[in-house]
Amino acid sequence: MFGDRPIFGNAEYKIDSKGRLYIPKFSYVEPDDELIIQKGEGNYYVIINWSKIKKEIEQLEKENKKDKIELITHSIVSLVKVDKMRRIIFQPHESFTIDRTVFMHGNYDSIQIFPSKKDYEEHIERLKKNL
């Protein structure tokens, strides 16, 4: 299942004309996995297992942390189901055009999706500057 084991690796895949995107094997994704697509802080998206987000929301509900629940739910772009070919429907904003190759980075329990490898590298440089 997606994210059951640490997700490490990089890959480039093309979004096809129907908006489908392959999920890399290094994510341990399986058909019928339910994934959340969230907007990251910057020009990227994050894919994470829906069951993980659901558990986090349930815990926050027990702790009555409605503001944190709202932050999580407002960042969700869509809930998608993985097909038998390890693909999802990915409908991002205009900088991620259809028929375009995207750069994916495994980030422990999620995958970050950038419009290009250059965008990913610029993101890393910004993070280093903020340390």
Side-chain angles (χ1 to χ4, degrees), residues 49-123:
N49 195 313
W50 168 233
S51 63
K52 180 179 191 257
I53 296 293
K54 201 165 30 172
K55 286 177 188 172
E56 187 175 339
I57 290 172
E58 288 169 359
Q59 182 60 39
L60 291 169
E61 284 173 341
K62 289 177 186 174
E63 297 169 9
N64 201 27
K65 295 186 176 179
K66 294 178 183 178
D67 55 332
K68 289 190 178 185
I69 294 170
E70 192 172 313
L71 282 173
I72 292 170
T73 57
H74 284 342
S75 70
I76 295 173
V77 174
S78 62
L79 170 65
V80 295
K81 197 169 193 175
V82 178
D83 71 12
K84 290 180 170 107
M85 304 270 303
R86 293 187 351 264
R87 299 175 300 192
I88 60 169
I89 299 296
F90 182 64
Q91 298 177 328
H93 60 76
E94 58 279 350
S95 68
F96 288 79
T97 57
I98 299 299
D99 286 333
R100 176 177 177 147
T101 300
V102 295
F103 183 80
M104 293 185 267
H105 171 71
N107 191 17
Y108 190 67
D109 66 349
S110 63
I111 292 178
Q112 296 172 323
I113 304 176
F114 294 86
S116 69
K117 187 173 182 178
K118 182 180 180 231
D119 289 296
Y120 166 72
E121 290 167 350
E122 289 171 356
H123 172 75

Side-chain angles (χ1 to χ4, degrees), residues 36-48:
I36 291 291
I37 299 174
Q38 292 179 304
K39 182 72 178 98
E41 293 180 25
N43 192 23
Y44 67 95
Y45 289 87
V46 177
I47 299 176
I48 193 161

Side-chain angles (χ1 to χ4, degrees), residues 13-15 17 22-23 28 30-32 42 46 68 86 94 112 118 122 127:
Y13 284 105
K14 191 172 192 169
I15 302 170
S17 61
Y22 280 96
I23 302 298
Y28 308 105
E30 296 174 2
D32 296 326
V46 177
K68 289 190 178 185
R86 293 187 351 264
E94 58 279 350
Q112 296 172 323
K118 182 180 180 231
E122 289 171 356
L127 291 175

